[in-house]
């Protein structure tokens, strides 16, 4: 189920990119102030279809993202290896005794 939703989300993303790239920019940025009145209205018929398609794909992508969040399994299953690691972390360390056969070096600067 999870992989199906992820594949659908990838397909929706690709379609959303394509439909956005097809659209004609209506703002024009800085060049809109210097051009004539030839781009005031733009293309209306295909613009409406592409705009609605963009909204539908964007909303479907959001729904798919929420569905992935719901479908993903949370940490309910505890792995035995993770249990062992946690037990090793929580176990106090045993004190280590110094070897008895060694003597500390003497200070040769004292007279």
């Amino acid at each position: 189920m999870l992989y199906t939703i992820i594949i659908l989300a990838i397909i929706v993303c690709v379609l959303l990119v394509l439909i956005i790239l097809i659209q004609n920019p209506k703002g024009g940025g800085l060049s809109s102030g210097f051009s004539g009145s030839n781009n005031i209205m733009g293309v209306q018929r295909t613009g409406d279809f592409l705009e609605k398609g963009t909204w539908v794909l964007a909303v479907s992508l959001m729904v798919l993202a929420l569905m992935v969040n719901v479908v993903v399994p949370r940490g309910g299953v505890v792995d035995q290896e993770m249990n062992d690691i946690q037990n090793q972390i929580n176990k106090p360390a045993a004190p280590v005794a110094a070897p008895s056969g060694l003597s500390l070096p003497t200070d040769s600067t004292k007279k």
Side-chain angles (χ1 to χ4, degrees):
M1 180 76 178
L2 176 66
Y3 294 117
T4 306
I5 295 173
I6 290 174
I7 290 170
L8 283 174
I10 291 172
I11 291 170
V12 167
C13 286
V14 169
L15 290 175
L16 188 60
V17 166
L18 291 176
I19 204 165
I20 288 174
L21 288 175
I22 290 172
Q23 292 181 14
N24 226 358
K26 297 207 167 82
L30 289 175
S31 65
S32 66
F34 301 111
S35 64
S37 63
N38 57 357
N39 66 349
I40 290 176
M41 293 299 287
V43 179
Q44 290 296 321
R45 300 233 182 230
T46 58
D48 289 340
F49 173 73
L50 293 176
E51 184 178 353
K52 287 179 186 175
T54 304
W55 280 106
V56 167
L57 288 173
V59 169
S60 64
L61 182 62
M62 286 185 238
V63 169
L64 286 171
L66 290 174
M67 286 177 60
V68 166
N69 193 19
V70 170
V71 171
V72 169
R74 295 292 171 211
V77 178
V78 178
D79 209 23
Q80 181 63 29
E81 184 178 328
M82 293 298 288
N83 236 351
D84 293 341
I85 293 172
Q86 190 63 40
N87 288 338
Q88 288 178 1
I89 292 172
N90 292 337
K91 185 172 68 171
V96 177
S100 61
L102 298 176
S103 63
L104 296 173
T106 58
D107 192 9
S108 61
T109 58
K110 292 183 180 177
K111 291 188 179 188

